[in-house]
Amino acid sequence: MSLLESLNPEQLAAVTLPRESALILAGAGSGKTKVLTARIAWLIQTGQVGPNGVLAVTFTNKASKEMLHRISTMLPINTRSMWVGTFHGLCNRMLRAHWKEAGLPQAFQILDMQDQLSAIKRMYKVLGIDAEKFPPKQLSYFIGSAKDQGLRPKDVEAHDEYHRMMVRLYEAYEAQCQREGVVDFAELLLRSFELLGANPALREHYQARFKYILVDEFQDTNNLQYNWLKRLAGPQGCIFAVGDDDQSIYAFRGARVANMVQFENDFAVQNRIKLEQNYRSVGNVLKAANVLIGHNKARLGKELWTEAGEGEAIRVYEATSDQDEAAFIIDRIKKLVLEEGFSRSDIAILYRSNAQSRVVEQALFNAGMPYRVYGGLRFFERAEIKHALAYLRLMDNADDDNSFSRVVNFPARGIGARSVEQLQDLATSQVTSLYRAIHRLEGRAQAGLKKFADLIERMRFETRGLSLADLVDKVINESGLVAHFQADKDGEDRVENLKELVNAAASFAIAEGYYQDAAATMVDEEKLITPLADFLSHASLEAGDNAAAAGQEAIQLMTAHAAKGLEFKCVFVTGLEEGLFPHENSIGNSVEGGDGTSVEAVEEERRLMYVAITRAREQLFLSHAQQRMLHGQIRYHLRSRFLDELPEDVLKWLTPKRAHIASQGWDALDSKVWGQSKTLNVGYSNKTTKRPYDIGTGVSHAKFGNGVVVAYEGEGDDQRIQINFGRQGMKWLMLSLAKLEKF
DNA sequence: CCCGTCAAGGTTTTT
DNA sequence: CCTTGACGGG
């Protein structure tokens, strides 16, 4: 059978497993997606299951689109009715189909993170909560983690006043969401989970239907997602889980690698198949990756190999500064493009945190090299788009106070904070929404508010029977949004974006089969949803591309996190410094491993580094800088321990490798000290400023023992030197008095 | 109501 | 350094 022909023995074994649960440990570049899609295609093609009997779940929209695309090239079937999507997308689908049983209004809206925060702030106003004492972000986090544990307010144990308050706020938030007919991301999952729990008939229906469940990036599942899968699969369930514990980089947002082992126990997994042959990178890159990740203790164990040649050595550069690092990168890129014939889009520059992109961007800009930065605002997150969506949502669901508040006075129509406050009071006392409260204002009715309500009503009436795109077009004009931004001298882009929203609606309508003339309000036996509601869900669940627009032939800039799942011929991993990568917040910290054990937080950083270097197919460059500008201060960092963990024989140091770190031992440096360096006067007035020891060199002190010079401060007799003495802590010593020796 | 100024604070991110 | 949010004056 042709679809099995290109598989290696392990891949073939995985694809053709009988109906039993299995864990596939798939290393970076080992053909993970290929195996997933081939298994689905094989199951269907051999008649073991129909397209409707398969459910495949991923974490990102991109991954699910890719999967659908590949399936449709392998099989002549309509994939649109298949349950392939993200956890949130599939839960949304289920809740749309069973909104009544789930206790939701038919037109329930989805809150993204921004929306959730503004909902919390609005609630604080009504309840008179001090946002300083209980930061909205903290509440959002609290609610999110509770839901991830499957806990409702009544289930959360609070042992102190602060947490009792958080629980009360959680409860109030939940009541508000319920009244307004909105759900946040975690709620989609929890509702769906509870729906299956409370409804045996429904549960059994889905358990019988989905004979085969496949999960991508299994190491990224959180507690709730795991339990949702378990419940959906049922006692006879068959789950095909694909993941890589070495690429688990999202523990900080609740992902539990421990789910992999728990899965093997819960589902009596007989087969743990390892995919270790790598089809992406040259030998040297792979060797570096293997040795690096070998430093982690918490691993299931796996070693990648390749048939490809060794390739170039991994080149390492120690820059004097972040500017110098950028200059090095530009220089190498020029060589790669002009002399070695790589295309700019083959080249990626990776960093630990977004702030690091600035210096590189500047340098690329000055060198006239096109580049593309991932990680900005996404299309559906832009303010003007959010405004347009708010009008649409309010038309669809009159109880959506979030949307109401966003646009009631935007564009400005003379409705001040005072009027809205009064309206809120009335709405609160009558337990209704802001929009509905307008009609109860009676004599005190504020003319502006009435006019606003009329506007919404009119738009609702006038858009009846229009196609989705025409509807959106009508609303952006009728609402005054387009006129408002046209009048703004800097509003050109925003007008363009609003028009782009009309296009997005049109493409969505076509993709989903609503077509242009869809007076159709109901489509798809399973969706039971209007095109508008469907589009609004889509906008919340899929915020769109987050890359800044640029020519296709551009150098790619992104964080190591954002690079997961991608590959490039040439990769630069930058900022390899203690405190940056590994990040200072991880150094010396332990975190709960998900199964009660304690794991070094730096292991996740190491996995991130592993992800970063395994993005490279042919050439890999690593760099660090002696000093860099961070938070407006010059900071000095030692080179990353990760550089010292790489095997020397695959490295080629372009600058001399300095030896100060290896002799030191990392235990001495594990306190959180790197963030405390002081600003220095650099480059001038060093008449009275001496630096007998270079930053980064080791010194010993009679009382404190060995340490590393981190910074200098002051001048002349007042000049002080900062030294990290490891366990003894960070000390500032008077240079004139301290008795120090180089070691 | 809009715009400026000032203070605070600043991993990683998808849905 | 640079972005974000909170206030107060015009």
Side-chain angles (χ1 to χ4, degrees):
Chain A
M1 200 174 310
S2 69
L3 76 90
L4 302 179
E5 268 167 20
S6 62
L7 302 172
N8 70 32
E10 293 76 28
Q11 291 173 337
L12 184 67
V15 167
T16 58
L17 274 174
R19 191 176 179 283
E20 62 183 44
S21 289
L23 178 66
I24 315 300
L25 271 185
S30 66
K32 172 177 69 93
T33 311
K34 186 178 185 181
V35 165
L36 268 169
T37 49
R39 170 132 177 108
I40 294 174
W42 178 76
L43 286 170
I44 294 173
Q45 203 174 61
T46 53
Q48 300 177 65
V49 67
N52 288 334
V54 174
L55 181 142
V57 61
T58 62
F59 276 84
T60 66
N61 291 300
K62 205 173 155 196
S64 68
K65 268 188 212 150
E66 170 72 12
M67 201 181 288
L68 278 173
H69 172 71
R70 289 212 206 173
I71 295 171
S72 63
T73 60
M74 287 187 255
L75 292 176
I77 56 168
N78 179 8
T79 54
R80 209 162 57 79
S81 69
M82 286 182 76
W83 281 57
V84 174
T86 63
F87 278 101
H88 295 84
L90 296 177
C91 287
N92 179 49
R93 191 165 178 174
M94 189 182 286
L95 293 175
R96 293 287 171 196
H98 310 287
W99 52 275
K100 256 188 203 146
E101 295 95 317
L104 289 168
Q106 185 167 19
F108 72 85
Q109 312 283 338
I110 300 165
L111 301 184
D112 66 16
M113 228 170 28
Q114 274 182 53
D115 298 331
Q116 193 196 25
L117 278 179
S118 45
I120 289 173
K121 287 177 191 160
R122 209 157 36 73
M123 176 180 89
Y124 277 11
K125 257 192 193 149
V126 175
L127 300 180
I129 303 293
D130 184 358
E132 302 274 297
K133 266 182 161 160
F134 306 98
K137 271 196 186 138
Q138 268 180 35
L139 180 64
S140 157
Y141 176 79
F142 179 85
I143 293 172
S145 354
K147 288 184 179 178
D148 283 351
Q149 301 302 313
L151 303 176
R152 292 298 181 186
K154 62 175 170 45
D155 309 315
V156 182
E157 285 182 38
H159 300 293
D160 56 60
E161 202 36 60
Y162 176 79
H163 285 97
R164 275 191 281 278
M165 186 61 176
M166 293 309 259
V167 173
R168 279 204 293 278
L169 291 173
Y170 176 14
E171 203 168 0
Y173 169 80
E174 209 170 57
Q176 176 179 291
C177 288
Q178 188 59 31
R179 194 182 53 63
E180 297 176 6
V182 296
V183 296
D184 60 40
F185 285 138
E187 185 72 24
L188 282 172
L189 282 152
L190 185 52
R191 273 293 165 121
S192 169
F193 176 71
E194 290 172 345
L195 173 71
L196 291 172
N199 218 312
L202 206 67
R203 179 173 67 242
E204 283 156 23
H205 162 76
Y206 280 113
Q207 286 174 351
R209 171 174 173 176
F210 297 124
K211 279 177 72 184
Y212 292 90
I213 294 174
L214 299 94
V215 191
D216 189 18
E217 305 276 16
F218 192 79
Q219 77 282 353
D220 287 339
T221 51
N222 68 24
N223 195 55
L224 180 55
Q225 287 158 344
Y226 180 73
N227 286 314
W228 182 82
L229 283 169
K230 210 167 141 185
R231 188 168 277 180
L232 187 67
Q236 307 302 318
C238 166
I239 294 184
F240 186 85
V242 181
D244 181 1
D245 54 320
D246 291 333
Q247 291 189 71
S248 162
I249 55 174
Y250 288 113
F252 73 92
R253 67 174 198 219
R256 285 167 39 106
V257 206
N259 282 345
M260 298 179 90
V261 174
Q262 195 183 336
F263 168 68
E264 291 186 312
N265 295 331
D266 288 354
F267 287 82
V269 169
Q270 305 296 315
N271 270 299
R272 183 198 275 186
I273 297 177
K274 292 184 188 177
L275 304 182
E276 298 176 294
Q277 181 172 4
N278 174 292
Y279 297 95
R280 179 188 294 154
S281 308
V282 295
N284 282 335
V285 167
L286 229 45
K287 185 167 179 192
N290 279 333
V291 173
L292 177 88
I293 202 67
H295 285 84
N296 274 3
K297 292 183 194 118
R299 289 185 72 207
L300 297 178
K302 185 168 44 43
E303 180 136 340
L304 296 176
W305 59 277
T306 179
E307 286 176 352
E310 286 185 348
E312 300 257 4
I314 296 167
R315 273 138 304 171
V316 188
Y317 181 77
E318 170 167 358
T320 55
S321 67
D322 46 356
Q323 311 274 342
D324 180 39
E325 184 184 43
F328 160 73
I329 294 168
I330 305 289
D331 191 49
R332 289 318 292 219
I333 289 177
K334 278 184 187 156
K335 285 196 185 113
L336 291 170
V337 174
L338 298 175
E339 294 168 21
E340 301 183 43
F342 288 101
S343 115
R344 281 189 291 269
S345 53
D346 289 335
I347 302 170
I349 303 173
L350 309 184
Y351 34 79
R352 177 64 178 78
S353 64
N354 284 305
Q356 287 167 250
S357 73
R358 192 173 314 281
V359 181
V360 180
E361 279 186 70
Q362 193 73 48
L364 286 165
F365 182 82
N366 291 338
M369 281 184 201
Y371 63 91
R372 193 165 198 244
V373 188
Y374 288 76
L377 255 198
R378 297 153 62 217
F379 182 72
F380 287 110
E381 288 169 357
R382 293 169 190 279
E384 62 276 18
I385 300 301
K386 280 268 180 188
H387 281 123
L389 293 173
Y391 277 105
L392 294 165
R393 286 164 75 146
L394 193 55
M395 287 162 61
D396 207 39
N397 173 4
D399 292 324
D400 187 343
D401 286 358
N402 244 6
S403 298
F404 181 96
S405 308
R406 180 180 271 274
V407 294
V408 64
N409 196 36
F410 193 94
R413 46 176 74 89
I415 301 171
R418 191 75 209 118
S419 319
V420 178
E421 233 169 78
Q422 281 169 352
L423 186 67
Q424 178 68 69
D425 289 344
L426 182 71
T428 308
S429 68
Q430 304 226 354
V431 198
T432 187
S433 66
L434 292 168
Y435 184 81
R436 293 186 202 278
I438 292 179
H439 303 294
R440 304 192 189 176
L441 277 169
E442 294 166 7
R444 298 173 291 151
Q446 213 257 17
L449 282 172
K450 273 267 187 283
K451 265 177 80 182
F452 176 69
D454 289 345
L455 169 69
I456 300 297
E457 247 359 277
R458 190 173 69 241
M459 291 197 300
R460 205 192 325 245
F461 181 75
E462 289 178 357
T463 54
R464 274 194 192 167
L466 290 188
S467 74
L468 186 58
D470 288 346
L471 190 162
V472 173
D473 189 48
K474 184 113 191 155
V475 169
I476 61 171
N477 287 299
E478 210 58 14
S479 63
L481 283 174
V482 169
H484 173 266
F485 289 119
Q486 269 168 348
D488 185 346
K489 55 187 183 317
D490 315 312
E492 219 174 292
D493 288 349
R494 296 179 186 271
V495 176
E496 280 310 304
N497 285 333
L498 286 172
K499 287 181 180 159
E500 191 52 41
L501 182 65
V502 179
N503 291 337
S507 342
F508 178 80
I510 292 167
E512 296 297 311
Y514 292 123
Y515 307 113
Q516 292 295 18
D517 70 336
T521 49
M522 212 188 81
V523 194
D524 210 323
E525 77 286 0
E526 275 188 336
K527 278 188 176 158
L528 297 163
I529 186 174
T530 64
L532 177 58
D534 202 8
F535 182 59
L536 292 173
S537 296
H538 165 81
S540 302
L541 290 173
E542 191 169 347
D545 206 346
N546 66 351
Q552 57 286 63
E553 243 303 273
I555 291 153
Q556 315 282 305
L557 273 69
M558 68 195 82
T559 63
H561 281 93
K564 187 170 166 203
L566 306 176
E567 59 177 51
F568 307 92
K569 283 184 181 163
C570 309
V571 170
F572 291 81
V573 184
T574 70
L576 287 168
E577 293 140 43
E578 286 291 305
L580 255 190
F581 202 170
H583 195 272
E584 59 193 2
N585 293 0
S586 75
I587 295 175
N589 283 334
S590 292
V591 288
E592 212 264 304
D595 52 3
T597 61
S598 166
V599 177
E600 295 270 327
V602 82
E603 293 211 347
E604 177 147 315
E605 298 284 309
R606 192 175 284 110
R607 291 193 292 268
L608 184 57
M609 176 71 179
Y610 175 79
V611 167
I613 63 186
T614 52
R615 299 310 96 194
R617 288 166 60 185
E618 298 173 17
Q619 302 207 24
L620 177 61
F621 298 86
L622 308 176
S623 59
H624 69 106
Q626 292 165 7
Q627 62 173 58
R628 81 170 57 238
M629 198 64 139
L630 210 61
H631 305 328
Q633 289 189 321
I634 295 174
R635 304 216 324 190
Y636 297 85
H637 294 124
L638 301 182
R639 77 167 174 254
S640 171
R641 68 190 69 188
F642 299 151
L643 280 173
D644 291 279
E645 290 171 0
L646 298 176
E648 219 30 70
D649 60 321
V650 300
L651 302 182
K652 180 179 173 193
W653 286 78
L654 302 175
T655 44
K657 184 186 180 185
R658 297 196 292 153
H660 62 267
I661 289 182
S663 62
Q664 188 120 0
W666 280 109
D667 284 351
L669 294 169
D670 67 357
S671 54
K672 184 185 165 181
V673 293
W674 308 107
Q676 299 167 18
S677 334
K678 292 276 160 84
T679 309
L680 288 176
N681 297 320
V682 184
Y684 56 90
S685 88
N686 45 359
K687 279 168 272 176
T688 54
T689 305
K690 286 180 192 141
R691 291 195 184 162
Y693 315 99
D694 287 339
I695 304 279
T697 51
V699 291
S700 67
H701 183 273
K703 191 169 158 199
F704 299 124
N706 293 343
V708 182
V709 178
V710 176
Y712 285 87
E713 180 181 79
E715 298 181 339
D717 290 346
D718 290 334
Q719 196 184 3
R720 302 193 304 151
I721 179 170
Q722 189 182 31
I723 300 167
N724 171 22
F725 286 107
R727 291 221 174 85
Q728 306 289 320
M730 182 71 94
K731 308 282 182 202
W732 279 104
L733 304 174
M734 298 301 292
L735 193 56
S736 52
L737 299 175
K739 291 192 178 66
L740 297 168
E741 267 182 70
K742 264 186 203 165
F743 78 98

